[in-house]
Amino acid sequence: EGDEGEKGDRGEVGKQGKVGPKGPKGNKGPVGDVGDQGMLGKIGPIGGKGDKGAKGLAGGSGKKGKAGTVCDCGRYRRVVGQLNINVARLNTSIKFVKNVIAGIRETDEKFYYIVKEEKNYREALIHCRDRGGTLAMPKDEATNALIADYISNSGLFRAFIGLNDMEKEGQFVYADNSPLQNYSNWKEGEPHDPAGHEDCVEMLSTGEWNDSECQVTIYFVCEFLKKKK
């Protein structure tokens, strides 16, 4: 048995060992630097109404206005006046037409209409004429009865008809200047006019005629010719 040899050289580095077990959790590190600005958030709700601001300073004076035009007011007043007259005339005509439609009588050839406005004989004559007619002229029994019935049904006692003896006392003529023919319907004792004042004729609700003063103002009957078809 030999002697123990010398200590050999140091061997090479051995192979890496296996990964050891996970060590314990380290301590919390220091706070990092401030990061970049984040993205813009959503728009918040609209705030409440603010207080009223202070009154602003007064503005400067405006420029001088243009000169006004001279009004020819007199002419306009005349025009307006004339319009008012025309409107009044139209209103009268409308009233007349409305009344006519409401209460008219007719024969084959004519319309008869009682105008319930108190007028004297001459005014009544003009009123009927202005509307295209004449004061009613009963020239036969049938027409006279129709007008009499109309007068009494209207609750009237009398109304002017188109008959007078203004030209020659006692010679009665119709509104169309034709003389009395073979028909008349005088009340008993009429015409009676010793003083010569009663030159116009009214029909009573009975249909009888009576001569009366032309200046009395009473209702009257107009007649209108029907237009030929």
Coordinates of all heavy atoms in Angstrom, one line a residue, residues 25 49 74 90:
K25 N -42.1 38.3 0.0 CA -42.4 39.6 -0.7 C -41.5 40.7 -0.2 O -41.3 40.8 1.0 CB -43.9 39.9 -0.4 CG -44.4 41.1 -1.2 CD -45.9 41.2 -1.0 CE -46.5 42.4 -1.8 NZ -47.9 42.5 -1.5
K49 N -78.5 79.9 -13.5 CA -78.5 81.2 -14.2 C -77.7 82.2 -13.3 O -77.9 82.2 -12.1 CB -79.9 81.8 -14.3 CG -80.0 83.0 -15.2 CD -81.5 83.3 -15.5 CE -81.6 84.6 -16.3 NZ -83.0 84.9 -16.5
G74 N -107.0 117.0 -46.1 CA -108.3 117.5 -46.5 C -108.9 116.5 -47.5 O -110.1 116.1 -47.4
L90 N -125.6 102.0 -48.5 CA -125.6 100.6 -48.7 C -126.4 99.9 -47.5 O -127.2 99.0 -47.7 CB -124.2 100.0 -48.7 CG -123.5 100.1 -50.1 CD1 -122.1 99.7 -50.0 CD2 -124.2 99.3 -51.1

